[in-house]
Amino acid sequence: MTVLWKAAAILLPGVIISSCTTNRPPAATILSKELVIENPPFSSCHASTILELPENKRMVAWFGGPHESHKEVVIYTATLQEGKWSAPRIVADGIINDTVRYPTWNPVLFRSTNNQVALFYKVGPNPREWWGEYKTSNDNGITWSAAHKLPDGFLGPIKNKPIQLKDGTILHPSSTESLDEKTWHIHLEKSDANFQNWKKILINNDSFGVIQPSILHYPNDQLQLLSRSRQNYIIQCWSGDQGNTWSALSKTNLPNPNSGSDAVSLSNGWQLLVYNPLPSGKDWWNGRNKLNVALSKDGQNWQDLIQLENEPEGEFSYPAVIQDREGIVHITYTYNRKNIKYLSLQLK
């Protein structure tokens, strides 16, 4: 594949990274960068998620329709095979019956260790009143089961992918928004490997307004949550017991314009984050016109590695990121609400 662009790592002055042999993160080479949808069959789309498939394929899902919160918004998927994206197809909707229909929201793709693929998503009039549903696939997304509604009070992963622990337990990063829109809270939801036996792990949010966490893992069963916030910074908390209990929330040194981010723990021991590196503005979309990739060894000291978007205006937001079995990093994100952008990175 043709190398389109290469960027050396940017080291921030004065940063000391603990527990690593070098302060210099790997350099990044962009292998591909393209729009997923050739002829979008909708006016607006948002909130993508990505999954590695066998035979060097990738699948992406997102919600699309007339506009966010419209009752005709549905969940689409597309598959990348031999360098070409398939046409988008509808795989989930919010149709209740002949007269009642709700929009769908925030799909999350996940493969369990028993090789079952799950598509989690939300259904409901808004993020204060939605509920969680999921479908499963045993043939890598070619066909899907009927929709399963999660138990009352459970939402599943809100935006970012779950992780599966060694004992098979799946931790789903989740959050809630109050009806009066004043309170945002993160929490975890735990299920078994078959997406059954759901339990909730509460987190003390103190005075922070936080949603949409992502999960990173470290040696000695240590976990970190990184969350979107109303405090102009990405907010973190830590667990030393595989997610059963969590530390107090605190600010990272990473700006956050009240926009979603995503992160992944890399096979080389680094942590990778995709985020909008700006403060919030007057309107909700302010600060979403730049999108960066950052790396850290310890989850505390982050260094910007590469800039994916940098425009005077526009929305490049809600990234999703994974690393495949060959070590390639794959990223998708909203591109001006008109398309989903995909790129792959090689780190050396």
Side-chain angles (χ1 to χ4, degrees):
M1 202 172 278
T2 303
V3 175
L4 301 179
W5 193 63
K6 185 171 183 177
I10 301 171
L11 293 180
L12 301 181
V15 170
I16 299 175
I17 299 178
S18 62
S19 66
C20 63
T21 58
T22 176
N23 286 350
R24 181 171 296 177
T29 301
I30 294 183
L31 302 177
S32 61
K33 191 173 185 180
E34 60 203 26
L35 296 177
V36 171
I37 312 148
E38 185 174 354
N39 296 299
F42 38 72
S43 301
S44 176
C45 62
H46 192 40
S48 62
T49 175
I50 184 168
L51 181 72
E52 180 185 11
L53 299 179
E55 301 176 354
N56 198 33
K57 302 176 187 176
R58 263 80 64 194
M59 178 166 56
V60 173
W62 65 90
F63 71 72
H67 59 78
E68 182 175 329
S69 80
H70 192 284
K71 67 180 182 179
E72 293 179 7
V73 169
V74 295
I75 305 298
Y76 289 87
T77 63
T79 302
L80 179 65
Q81 181 177 0
E82 296 180 352
K84 183 174 177 58
W85 288 98
S86 65
R89 67 185 184 105
I90 298 171
V91 296
D93 58 46
I95 296 174
I96 307 302
N97 53 46
D98 290 342
T99 59
V100 179
R101 180 174 184 168
Y102 293 107
T104 55
W105 310 75
N106 293 17
V108 177
L109 289 166
F110 176 74
R111 182 190 299 278
S112 66
T113 52
N114 62 13
N115 248 356
Q116 190 172 53
V117 173
L119 171 68
F120 294 93
Y121 56 98
K122 272 62 64 187
V123 179
N126 57 64
R128 276 78 60 196
E129 299 175 283
W130 62 20
W131 60 88
E133 296 189 5
Y134 72 97
K135 294 185 173 188
T136 58
S137 175
N138 293 316
D139 55 13
N140 295 306
I142 298 173
T143 61
W144 294 93
S145 72
H148 305 281
K149 188 174 181 179
L150 290 178
D152 289 346
F154 290 85
L155 296 170
I158 283 295
K159 174 193 171 296
N160 297 323
K161 56 197 170 297
I163 66 168
Q164 191 162 12
L165 303 178
K166 294 176 183 177
D167 65 359
T169 298
I170 301 171
L171 297 180
H172 307 262
S174 198
S175 58
T176 56
E177 304 178 34
S178 64
L179 281 172
D180 62 9
E181 302 186 38
K182 294 181 179 179
T183 304
W184 286 4
H185 276 170
I186 60 169
H187 68 277
L188 286 184
E189 295 175 2
K190 181 191 295 187
S191 75
D192 63 24
N194 296 310
F195 315 120
Q196 302 297 314
N197 299 311
W198 289 77
K199 298 179 181 179
K200 192 172 292 187
I201 300 173
L202 300 181
I203 297 172
N204 182 359
N205 286 228
D206 196 14
S207 59
F208 290 98
V210 283
I211 55 173
Q212 299 172 353
S214 53
I215 308 177
L216 295 173
H217 60 83
Y218 296 82
N220 302 316
D221 296 326
Q222 191 174 35
L223 301 175
Q224 181 187 26
L225 294 184
L226 297 174
S227 300
R228 169 182 175 178
S229 85
R230 287 172 162 167
Q231 278 73 37
N232 269 325
Y233 288 92
I234 290 177
I235 303 301
Q236 65 180 341
C237 60
W238 294 81
S239 173
D241 57 7
Q242 296 191 315
N244 290 306
T245 60
W246 290 87
S247 70
L249 271 60
S250 62
K251 293 180 180 179
T252 68
N253 63 344
L254 295 158
N256 181 244
N258 191 5
S259 182
S261 61
D262 194 20
V264 65
S265 297
L266 301 178
S267 57
N268 62 5
W270 287 86
Q271 310 293 337
L272 184 146
L273 171 73
V274 189
Y275 75 113
N276 299 110
L278 295 171
S280 58
K282 179 181 178 182
D283 296 305
W284 63 263
W285 60 83
N286 295 151
R288 298 185 178 192
N289 53 303
K290 295 184 180 182
L291 190 67
N292 282 10
V293 175
L295 289 178
S296 176
K297 260 289 186 177
D298 61 4
Q300 301 282 5
N301 300 290
W302 292 89
Q303 306 176 47
D304 281 327
L305 174 70
I306 193 170
Q307 195 167 70
L308 303 181
E309 302 284 351
N310 182 11
E311 300 293 339
E313 57 184 25
E315 183 182 356
F316 315 108
S317 66
Y318 269 52
V321 58
I322 60 171
Q323 185 182 37
D324 69 22
R325 65 198 74 187
E326 303 297 327
I328 304 299
V329 173
H330 304 272
I331 300 170
T332 60
Y333 54 92
T334 296
Y335 190 80
N336 282 324
R337 297 274 173 153
K338 299 298 182 184
N339 214 312
I340 303 300
K341 200 162 194 177
Y342 161 81
L343 63 91
S344 56
L345 288 176
Q346 187 170 46
L347 303 179
K348 288 185 176 181

